[in-house]
Amino acid sequence: MKFDAIIIGFGKAGKTLAGFLAKKGEKVALIERSEKMYGGTCINIGCIPTKTLVHSAHLARRDVSWKEKQEYFRAAMEQKDAVVSFLREKNYEKLADDPNVTIFLGVGSFAGKNAVEVRGKDLAVTLEAPKIFINTGSETVIPNLPGVTGNPRVFTSTTLLDLKELPQRLTIVGGGYIGLEFASMFASFGTQVTVLEKGPQVLPREDRDIAAAVQGILEKKGVQFKTHVNVTQIDGGTVVYEDRAAQKEVRLEGDAVLLAAGRRPNTEALALEKAGVEVNARGAIVVDEHLRTTNPQVYALGDVKGGPLFTYISLDDFRIVCSSLYGTGDRRISDRDPVSSTVFIDPPLAHIGLTAEEAQSLGRHIKVNTLPVAAIPRARTLNQAEGLFKIVVDADTQEILGCTLFGPEAGEVINTVAVAMKTGQKYTFLRDFIFTHPSMSEALNDLANF
């Protein structure tokens, strides 16, 4: 079967590109391996379900019986499922009703430089097109540990979202962003959470004062942290690890284990070698500034090419491809930095640009200022006065090098900083800007007041 374009993966970039090309009159084949993934990771197993649960967890009561906590958790999961189902169906219907889009349910793999074979239930077909786009996302890294395979008490960030009962004790292997988001969420629901981190601190990419502030607030929620550990085995819900500091083996009993040791590009089933598409040492598809792979007929968008694993990066990848194929071609990967991010722990942690440690390692002459969230009037009115805001600027040029916000509404406020940085404003722009009152944004006046 011949098409004008083939898209492998129904994620943010893939679905948006399919609609765009269809409006231009092109015949598009859109391949998705699972009917539960229409709309991509964000809608089904990422941003939308987790943030729905984060909100429910924030509202959860701690001073109730375990039975009541279980009932609340089940209701929260049902609400999450309803939200996901609604958005998944809307995403499917929007493209399924387009006469220029044909959706194939099955696994797509290359059969040549411009051909893709699709195999699914009662389906085996070969598609051809002059343009092919890979948008297959990423998958959880599963550590090669005894006791993981076939263990019903071991979960990934995907399978944990299918829980029907709230575990009393949850052990999280990995103290990065995903691990701490789930730690905060389940602790708020009432689970006893323990986080195991192999390094000296959780959130290893953050400055030590920010990581310490995050850990301190989560500890107040009851989360326990063990650093300098090597996990050696999982036995049911029990995690066996080596405590390197104490030089002893520890058996940590629990009811569920979450593996949060990172993610990797999802390329295993693609047979990339048949298309002449290369990957790097980390398994990510190699692309140029315009997202072309080593096969000029094939593009890669989203997580599968590595880099920041955010749905808004996938959307910007769509913009880059559209500019390259149908516009001026002036959009490219390197133009979009810096990019902000938010971890939806409670309160949220948002960041953009360089940390102080990163800036110093680059030899920058910097000024750093911090502001306790307790000093922000709006935080007091919200009764959420814990956290820390931090900004890093170049002492010579007054350029804003980076900013980290750990506090209520941080995910919104960071966008203001992002606009200032992207437009080349000096830190004095934030210091002197007129914000509404009371708001969390007005804290940027004080944060940037050196």
Side-chain angles (χ1 to χ4, degrees), residues 151-384:
N151 189 336
R153 295 192 179 187
V154 173
F155 299 88
T156 66
S157 59
T158 297
T159 58
L160 197 66
L161 295 174
D162 293 328
L163 279 179
K164 303 303 180 185
E165 300 290 330
L166 181 67
Q168 287 190 309
R169 299 166 299 177
L170 172 65
T171 302
I172 299 178
V173 181
Y177 300 124
I178 294 176
L180 293 199
E181 187 171 287
F182 277 94
S184 176
M185 178 201 308
F186 275 85
S188 295
F189 277 127
T191 296
Q192 173 56 59
V193 179
T194 303
V195 176
L196 303 180
E197 168 57 40
K198 65 180 180 180
Q201 71 171 52
V202 296
L203 298 177
R205 298 179 185 176
E206 302 293 341
D207 286 332
R208 293 183 181 274
D209 55 349
I210 295 294
V214 172
Q215 181 171 332
I217 288 181
L218 291 182
E219 285 176 337
K220 289 181 180 179
K221 292 177 179 284
V223 179
Q224 297 181 3
F225 293 88
K226 307 292 182 182
T227 57
H228 294 98
V229 305
N230 285 332
V231 175
T232 57
Q233 182 180 347
I234 299 178
D235 182 9
T238 297
V239 177
V240 182
Y241 67 87
E242 174 192 359
D243 184 331
R244 298 201 307 272
Q247 295 186 331
K248 65 177 182 179
E249 183 179 86
V250 179
R251 291 181 62 87
L252 178 62
E253 296 185 359
D255 303 300
V257 180
L258 169 63
L259 301 178
R263 297 181 68 82
R264 64 186 176 195
N266 192 2
T267 60
E268 187 175 349
L270 290 172
L272 295 174
E273 66 282 355
K274 294 182 180 180
V277 174
E278 297 179 4
V279 298
N280 62 21
R282 294 192 172 188
I285 295 178
V286 176
V287 295
D288 65 12
E289 285 280 82
H290 299 283
L291 301 174
R292 284 186 295 261
T293 70
T294 47
N295 176 346
Q297 293 178 275
V298 179
Y299 290 74
L301 305 87
D303 295 0
V304 75
K305 71 181 192 315
L309 307 183
F310 304 128
T311 190
Y312 45 89
I313 292 295
S314 189
L315 178 60
D316 197 58
D317 286 349
F318 154 75
R319 299 188 187 107
I320 291 174
V321 167
C322 288
S323 175
S324 176
L325 293 176
Y326 302 99
T328 60
D330 57 345
R331 297 189 73 107
R332 50 179 57 86
I333 292 176
S334 58
D335 289 341
R336 61 185 171 208
D337 289 333
V339 174
S340 56
S341 63
T342 302
V343 185
F344 287 86
I345 51 181
D346 189 10
L349 172 67
H351 175 78
I352 187 170
L354 300 175
T355 65
E357 293 175 6
E358 288 171 339
Q360 288 173 328
S361 70
L362 294 173
R364 303 296 289 261
H365 180 206
I366 64 172
K367 296 194 298 184
V368 178
N369 200 26
T370 59
L371 179 70
V373 168
I376 304 172
R378 177 57 175 164
R380 291 289 182 178
T381 68
L382 294 171
N383 194 28
Q384 298 179 55

Side-chain angles (χ1 to χ4, degrees), residues 6-17:
I6 298 171
I7 301 172
I8 310 174
F10 207 126
K12 184 66 174 181
K15 67 181 183 183
T16 311
L17 183 61

